[in-house]
Amino acid sequence: MSTARPPRLFIPGPVEVEDDVLQEMAGPMIGHRAPEIGELIGAIRPMAEKLLRTSQPVYLMTNSGTGAMETAAINCVKNKVLSCVNGAFSQRFAEICDSHGYEVVRLKVEWGKAIHPEMVREKLNEGGFDAVTLVHNETSTGVMSPLAEIAKVTNEFDDVVLLVDAVTSAAVVPIETEKLKIDALVTGSQKGLAIPPGLALSTFSKRAMERAKKKKLRGSYFDLLSIHKSWEKDQTPTTPAVPQFRALRKRLEKIMANEDAWYAAHQEKADLTRKWANDRFAMFPEAGYESVSLSCIENTRGISVADLNGYLREHGVMLSNGYKALKEKTFRIGHMGANSIEHHQQLLDLIDGFLEK
Ligand SMILES: *Cc1c(COP(=O)(O)O)cnc(C)c1O
């Protein structure tokens, strides 16, 4: 077996995970209907609710983030949904809604731009909508849209639920899920939550749960009512990813030990990278909406990003090329996960070394 460490990840997910969190995953297996699973879920529950700033249940779903997006779409949309699309993942949310036969109206914004509250109001004013999908942080473009302001707008409309993908923003910035009256907040484990892939945490408002009850077809694996029924017993409907649950418990304990420091560290890494990028390149996102989770940098010098990554790989690290149409036009440095500010400085120094070649 090779003992070489794979490159240190500066990609925007999956992210680097500390050894003490990884080691949690190696414990003996437990029965998924035995008391031990209840103890594990019971320990996670209050911390997860605190993290997502809600008194509603936080469900631990064994699937990737996309599954949680689909859960929101299946259970919470009635007929007509406004999908805010400003990149690849928000496009995915719209396509998931298409796949369930809803009438999907897209609020399309150029890649790199944010969704602005007044755009949402204008569209909702056209009438007939019962749901809005929004990706808080577009990982494809590095844009963080103003969630609080958008939630204020959707709340002006009766019976319009707000479904938010917070896969790369939850646990990166505090999100006031309940105060903002967000109806569905979905996340994935390998991004902001900084544990290995395989889990999606999600939480739903009372109103969203009422919607689910009224839906005739909720599928099976993503049926919220079945997920909730198991949650009441500190269980999950099907066999969960126990190792990831253990990593999550450890992660949440570490965050809760000093939440402010956890969030501040992300901001610090983003600030350092942004300043560096503005000196040497330019930030791709609309000014004022640059993500804290990742920096999407415009390749103004016309370097080969593929060659850059080849060079970085030789030095034991890797970043992300631009997403699809943005390939070689941008590159992305993730700030989520266990990389320290020193690791970031090392990465930036390495890129400077490449630029000088
Ligand atoms: C990664 C990601 C997802 C989900 O991806 P999975 O591969 O299903 O975990 C969803 N939304 C955003 C914004 C993401 O970055």
Side-chain angles (χ1 to χ4, degrees), residues 39-330:
E39 284 164 27
L40 181 53
I41 295 179
I44 291 169
R45 270 172 61 163
M47 294 191 286
E49 289 166 17
K50 187 157 182 274
L51 180 81
L52 299 181
R53 309 274 205 270
T54 182
S55 61
Q56 289 301 109
V58 175
Y59 304 119
L60 309 177
M61 304 172 63
T62 296
N63 48 253
S64 80
T66 305
M69 295 162 82
E70 182 143 31
T71 303
I74 294 174
N75 289 275
C76 307
V77 179
K78 281 200 270 193
N79 295 307
K80 187 176 173 186
V81 54
L82 176 64
S83 279
C84 304
V85 177
N86 62 337
F89 291 98
S90 42
Q91 175 64 28
R92 180 182 296 181
F93 218 165
E95 285 164 5
I96 290 170
C97 291
D98 287 335
S99 78
H100 290 282
Y102 303 131
E103 182 184 351
V104 184
V105 176
R106 284 163 168 77
L107 163 52
K108 270 199 170 180
V109 171
E110 199 188 328
W111 282 37
K113 301 279 190 275
I115 303 294
H116 291 279
E118 55 276 17
M119 300 171 178
V120 177
R121 184 185 289 113
E122 196 184 310
K123 279 281 180 192
L124 287 179
N125 270 331
E126 290 173 11
F129 293 98
D130 57 72
V132 172
T133 66
L134 176 76
V135 172
H136 182 197
N137 187 76
E138 241 312 340
T139 317
S140 58
T141 62
V143 169
M144 199 173 271
S145 288
L147 176 59
E149 286 84 350
I150 293 167
K152 222 168 156 189
V153 167
T154 59
N155 282 310
E156 290 168 12
F157 293 82
D158 277 343
D159 207 31
V160 172
V161 294
L162 176 59
L163 315 179
V164 178
D165 168 341
V167 174
T168 48
S169 59
V172 174
V173 294
I175 299 175
E176 295 290 345
T177 307
E178 192 152 292
K179 250 189 225 156
L180 297 176
K181 297 196 182 116
I182 293 167
D183 293 286
L185 190 89
V186 305
T187 76
S189 57
Q190 79 278 20
K191 309 272 182 85
L193 279 166
I195 62 170
L199 276 192
L201 272 62
S202 64
T203 184
F204 298 84
S205 69
K206 287 198 179 105
R207 177 164 76 159
M209 296 306 288
E210 288 308 310
R211 277 274 176 99
K213 280 180 199 159
K214 287 187 189 123
K215 291 214 57 167
K216 266 206 243 90
L217 298 174
R218 292 184 303 272
S220 168
Y221 199 71
F222 297 133
D223 175 2
L224 262 185
L225 300 191
S226 132
I227 293 169
H228 181 78
K229 217 170 141 198
S230 294
W231 174 87
E232 288 182 318
K233 296 184 288 188
D234 276 341
Q235 288 191 5
T236 51
T238 56
T239 318
V242 170
Q244 275 78 353
F245 279 27
R246 288 193 172 126
L248 178 64
R249 177 180 57 191
K250 182 75 174 173
R251 162 65 64 230
L252 291 170
E253 284 168 1
K254 291 180 75 160
I255 296 177
M256 291 305 147
N258 193 341
E259 253 190 302
D260 292 345
W262 171 261
Y263 290 124
H266 286 79
Q267 187 67 53
E268 204 186 338
K269 292 185 273 186
D271 287 346
L272 175 79
T273 308
R274 231 178 265 169
K275 185 174 177 309
W276 174 92
N278 281 322
D279 285 348
R280 285 147 181 86
F281 293 92
M283 289 297 288
F284 180 70
E286 177 178 355
Y289 299 92
E290 299 91 347
S291 166
V292 183
S293 329
L294 73 145
S295 294
C296 183
I297 298 164
E298 197 175 343
N299 182 11
T300 50
R301 301 163 81 117
I303 61 165
S304 161
V305 176
D307 287 354
L308 169 62
N309 235 350
Y311 174 85
L312 292 176
R313 188 172 258 282
E314 282 169 19
H315 291 83
V317 297
M318 75 181 281
L319 46 68
S320 274
N321 207 321
Y323 199 99
K324 288 197 178 152
L326 295 178
K327 200 168 178 175
E328 294 295 331
K329 296 193 173 76
T330 65

